[in-house]
Amino acid sequence: MSTTSWEMVVGLEVHVQLKTRTKAFCACSTNFGDPPNQNTCPVCLALPGALPVLNARAVELAVRAAMALGCTVHPRSVFARKNYFYPDLPKGYQISQAEFPVATGGRVELPEGGAIGITRLHMEEDAGKSIHDRFVGMTAIDLNRSGMPLIEIVGEPEIRSSAQAGAYLRALREILLFAGVSDCSMEEGSLRVDANVSARPMGEPKFRNRTEIKNLNSFSNVERALELEFARHVATYEAGGTIQQQTMLFDALKGEVRAARSKEGSHDYRYFPEPDLPPLLLATEWLEAQRAAVPELPAARRARFLSAFALGEKEAQALTTEVETAVYFEAVAAASGDGKAAANWVLGEVSGALNAGGGRIDEFPISAKRLAALIALVKEGGVSSTAAKTLFHAMRTDHGEPRAIAEREGLLQVGDDSALIGWIDEVLAELPDEAARFAAGEKKLQGVLVGAVMKKSKGRADPKKVNQLLAARAT
């Protein structure tokens, strides 16, 4: 089977949990990881007579997300009941928005160029969670998640490859993180993806039947599932079969996509306006206040980093993947007065330490101010670049100032000619062959000898002076 003559068509629906302390329509906590069914009340348990009360903070965050994505926010939107029956949905319906969502339009710019359009962004509440692996032969229900405030971002079916789907999701996540509307943790379920996929012959304008892969919980799983399902569509068509519109599940361990149920259409949900909630009306002045509250977004911050700190595209991209990284870098750059050096340290030693030991950059034991002091110490010649790395690792457990630690650990750079000549003499005596060839004019060995002097001095020797002294001996 060859997929080269077929085109993948993908539209993604992204569910994002808003960063509020309480649920969408009640005062229950949204804290992740609490014991099952602890954060529940008559509203999220759907007890008779319980009425929803809209969370104002959820509205603020939903509107800011829409504005950050370039959507048109509507002054009037309507909540609706989306009717379906699952064990973890005690009401038998979900409060969502249908015909009149809070926002429409918008787009997500892709790093490699181009953009993917957004059809709509609407508010809704989450369902509970069915847990199938807790008890043998039984399913447990946890309603802590029931009623969590969500936005659903429905993308246009403009994605044409699994890689483009991954790029769209990463760009979308960056925007939402910088806008401060969600923590976007896929591990905790605060960002989940449903992927609609179909296949059509190259050049065919009309869409064919699609299938929806539900609840994908990592970007790599989205890409893997799309490739598998697209290949199934193509194989089915080439064998003369047809694709039924249905809901699919992706099994990451087995690497397979399997059918779950026939896919509902909007008519199956029997939407009608939520009788217990009035239309959501947003005043012009309030909308302008929310627009003013949208912080600097990744693309704008990247552009500023490029111009203000003379960074390369890849450096600016890496520094704006996470909000905390961008904030930490900018604080180091401002305090040190050297954006290039700040970027090198943040993307090098700091990122390496975090990758090795885990943790968050905003909790890193070396503050931006102390890292800036280390950079300044290197610039003024107080420590060599080699000794600076040793000093950096000492600073992770010693909370003193870099200069004081360097003095105590014997890391301050030595520029005294007599000390340097002593180390040079020792190296030349230990490497007689290299010394003789260097004296005979083999200039490339100078770097080898400088490296040996730096090692002997434990990084304390001034490399510039060592180079000068060695060059003088070769003349």
Side-chain angles (χ1 to χ4, degrees):
M1 177 199 69
S2 171
T3 58
T4 56
S5 59
W6 292 82
E7 182 177 55
M8 180 187 293
V9 179
V10 174
L12 298 179
E13 299 170 6
V14 182
H15 298 82
V16 180
Q17 182 178 321
L18 299 171
K19 194 159 57 175
T20 62
R21 291 193 300 271
T22 57
K23 293 185 181 181
F25 300 110
C26 67
C28 289
S29 171
T30 57
N31 190 53
F32 178 80
D34 284 347
N37 299 304
Q38 174 176 296
N39 300 327
T40 57
C41 73
V43 174
C44 43
L45 292 175
L47 298 185
L51 295 175
V53 177
L54 180 59
N55 184 333
R57 179 61 175 166
V59 177
E60 288 179 7
L61 296 179
V63 167
R64 288 185 197 177
M67 290 175 171
L69 293 168
C71 300
T72 299
V73 178
H74 301 294
R76 181 183 185 275
S77 59
V78 177
F79 286 98
R81 290 189 180 182
K82 180 181 181 180
N83 298 273
Y84 60 99
F85 300 96
Y86 285 168
D88 53 20
L89 190 69
K91 289 197 291 276
Y93 63 86
Q94 179 184 22
I95 298 178
S96 182
Q97 292 182 320
E99 188 178 358
F100 302 103
V102 70
T104 53
R107 58 197 281 119
V108 174
E109 303 288 338
L110 303 182
E112 66 273 18
I116 303 299
I118 293 171
T119 307
R120 56 186 280 138
L121 181 153
H122 63 261
M123 299 181 66
E124 63 184 19
E125 63 176 341
D126 208 346
K129 185 176 182 180
S130 297
I131 302 169
H132 305 292
D133 56 0
R134 186 72 57 84
F135 306 104
V136 177
M138 292 187 288
T139 294
I141 301 296
D142 181 5
L143 294 176
N144 278 351
R145 203 170 71 183
S146 178
M148 291 287 194
L150 304 179
I151 51 173
E152 182 175 346
I153 302 165
V154 181
E156 293 283 350
E158 298 173 345
I159 295 171
R160 294 295 177 264
S161 71
S162 60
Q164 193 176 52
Y168 166 80
L169 289 170
R170 291 178 181 90
L172 177 64
R173 178 179 179 272
E174 282 183 10
I175 293 169
L176 297 172
L177 285 172
F178 274 74
V181 301
S182 173
D183 60 19
C184 294
S185 171
M186 299 193 83
E187 294 81 6
E188 296 182 3
S190 55
L191 191 152
R192 305 193 300 274
V193 181
D194 297 340
N196 293 282
V197 58
S198 64
R200 64 185 179 186
M202 287 290 186
E204 181 176 284
K206 68 177 183 179
F207 294 133
R208 296 194 173 194
N209 277 354
R210 72 184 190 275
T211 52
E212 182 181 32
I213 312 169
K214 297 286 286 187
N215 290 328
L216 295 163
N217 61 2
S218 77
F219 297 155
S220 61
N221 281 350
V222 171
E223 295 178 19
R224 289 171 62 200
L226 286 174
E227 288 292 341
L228 288 168
E229 185 63 358
F230 174 60
R232 185 183 74 85
H233 282 222
V234 172
T236 300
Y237 286 133
E238 292 190 342
T242 58
I243 292 294
Q244 300 300 316
Q245 185 167 311
Q246 58 186 334
T247 298
M248 314 294 289
L249 297 175
F250 175 59
D251 188 323
L253 293 177
K254 293 182 179 179
E256 65 180 24
V257 178
R258 61 177 183 271
R261 63 181 188 274
S262 61
K263 170 65 178 162
E264 298 94 339
S266 60
H267 61 279
D268 295 314
Y269 292 123
R270 295 175 292 116
Y271 283 103
F272 62 87
E274 168 57 66
D276 294 330
L277 289 169
L280 176 60
L281 304 178
L282 305 176
T284 301
E285 297 80 4
W286 184 89
L287 287 171
E288 289 307 312
Q290 300 314 307
R291 193 176 301 282
V294 176
E296 186 180 39
L297 298 174
R301 189 167 293 203
R302 273 194 290 274
R304 186 165 57 80
F305 283 3
L306 286 169
S307 61
F309 303 117
L311 302 181
E313 290 280 355
K314 289 185 178 179
E315 291 172 313
Q317 178 69 45
L319 290 167
T320 53
T321 300
E322 302 286 344
V323 182
E324 295 80 8
T325 301
V327 170
Y328 183 85
F329 158 74
E330 193 159 8
V332 175
S336 67
D338 190 335
K340 191 69 175 178
N344 290 339
W345 277 98
V346 172
L347 296 176
E349 298 299 314
V350 174
S351 294
L354 290 171
N355 289 338
R360 297 161 49 95
I361 197 168
D362 55 346
E363 299 170 348
F364 194 61
I366 301 177
S367 67
K369 183 179 178 181
R370 292 174 72 227
L371 182 57
L374 173 58
I375 291 171
L377 194 58
V378 174
K379 285 179 68 176
E380 71 185 38
V383 294
S384 68
S385 57
T386 303
K389 292 182 180 180
T390 303
L391 179 54
F392 173 85
H393 291 292
M395 289 168 63
R396 293 175 61 189
T397 53
D398 188 324
H399 300 296
E401 288 304 305
R403 183 178 291 278
I405 299 171
E407 288 176 353
R408 187 169 62 250
E409 299 295 327
L411 295 172
L412 288 177
Q413 187 160 270
V414 175
D416 177 67
D417 283 3
S418 61
L420 297 177
I421 289 169
W423 282 323
I424 290 171
D425 288 341
E426 289 179 33
V427 166
L428 294 177
E430 292 168 3
L431 301 171
D433 290 342
E434 289 83 351
R437 288 159 54 200
F438 176 66
E442 201 169 330
K443 301 294 187 183
K444 66 181 181 181
L445 286 172
Q446 184 165 324
V448 175
L449 297 174
V450 171
V453 172
M454 295 305 297
K455 183 177 181 180
K456 179 168 285 294
S457 68
K458 297 180 180 177
R460 292 182 294 153
D462 182 338
K464 185 176 180 181
K465 281 198 170 185
V466 172
N467 268 295
Q468 292 171 349
L469 291 169
L470 278 169
R473 293 201 179 196
T475 57

